Amino acid sequence: MIEKTERLLSVLKLQPVVPVLIIEDLATAVPLARALVAGGLKAIEITLRTPVALAAIEAVAKEVEGAVTGAGTILNPEHYAAAVEAGAQFIVSPGTTPDLLDAADDHEASFLPGASTASEAMILRAEGYEVMKFFPAEQAGGAAFLKALSSPLAGTLFCPTGGISLKNAMDYLSLSNVICVGGSWVAPRELVAAGDWAGITKLASEACALTA
C-alpha cells in the first residue's frame, strides 16, 4: 500500500490540475492528450463513459510521449481490470465499494478512491488510503467542507473534482489537504470538436500556472 500511495502521489504532484476527459471520438484522443501534455498537464484521466474510452486509454498510453494515462469513472472490478489491461497507470472512482478495494489489491495500478463524507474518508483511512478523490466537490460542500476536514482528518489528502473551473480552482488548491484538482474545463467540447489543439494547450498552460 505504501508503494502504491507513493506512486499515486508522484502522479498527482505532476500538476495542479488533472484533466478529466470524456472521449466521444477516438480520433481525437491522441491529439488531445498531446495538446494537454504540451501545456504541462501530463497526468490525464480518461473516463469510462463512452464506448471508445478503453481504446482511447490504450492509444494515449501507447502513442503520447510524456503522458501518464489514468482511467476514471471506474465502478466495478471489471472496469478496473479492463482499464489496467488497456494501459491505465492510475485508477479513479467517484465512490468506493468493497469490491473496488479488492480489485485495487489485485492490480499494480494505483487507486484514487472517491469519498464525499467524513465517514467515507475514515473508512478509506482504515483501509490504508491516505489520498482520495472528493466528488462531487462543489455539490458535496466545496472548499469550505474540505477545509473543515483538514484538522480532524489530518494527513488525508484530496483531489476534489466536480464543478471546478479556473475561477474557483484556487479556492481548493490553497488548502493544505488538497494535492490537486480534477477538471474538464481544460478540454472543452467545442475546442475538441474543432480540433483546436493550440487552444487546449493554452488552457493547459493556464492551469499549470495556477500554483506557479
Side-chain angles (χ1 to χ4, degrees):
M1 177 64 74
I2 293 175
E3 182 182 347
K4 285 187 179 180
T5 300
E6 290 302 319
R7 288 206 306 269
L8 179 61
L9 286 172
S10 70
V11 170
L12 299 182
K13 288 179 179 178
L14 286 172
Q15 61 217 37
V17 180
V18 175
V20 180
L21 308 181
I22 300 175
I23 304 293
E24 303 281 358
D25 179 359
L26 181 57
T28 66
V30 168
L32 171 56
R34 285 177 176 155
L36 291 167
V37 171
L41 301 184
K42 298 179 180 180
I44 298 169
E45 176 189 337
I46 298 174
T47 60
L48 265 64
R49 302 185 194 180
T50 68
V52 302
L54 287 172
I57 290 169
E58 183 174 9
V60 172
K62 288 182 177 178
E63 300 179 37
V64 182
E65 185 176 355
V68 181
T69 313
T73 320
I74 300 299
L75 305 179
N76 54 55
E78 291 74 28
H79 284 170
Y80 203 118
V84 171
E85 185 175 355
Q89 295 174 255
F90 65 99
I91 301 294
V92 186
S93 67
T96 311
T97 66
D99 285 345
L100 275 177
L101 293 175
D102 289 342
D105 289 338
D106 293 337
H107 296 278
E108 283 300 308
S110 300
F111 183 38
L112 181 66
S116 61
T117 68
S119 293
E120 290 171 358
M122 289 170 65
I123 290 170
L124 285 171
R125 280 166 59 105
E127 293 289 338
Y129 287 88
E130 299 176 357
V131 188
M132 308 167 195
K133 175 177 179 173
F134 177 57
F135 177 84
E138 283 291 280
Q139 296 84 348
F145 181 85
L146 283 182
K147 184 177 181 180
L149 291 184
S150 62
S151 181
L153 296 184
T156 305
L157 294 174
F158 295 93
C159 171
T161 305
I164 299 177
S165 67
L166 186 63
K167 292 182 179 180
N168 64 359
M170 280 308 300
D171 294 342
Y172 292 91
L173 292 169
S174 62
L175 299 177
S176 61
N177 59 344
V178 169
I179 188 169
C180 63
V181 300
S184 59
W185 84 86
V186 293
R189 182 172 295 178
E190 61 271 18
L191 293 191
V192 174
D196 186 356
W197 311 126
I200 288 173
T201 294
K202 182 175 183 292
L203 291 175
S205 298
E206 292 173 351
C208 274
L210 282 170
T211 55

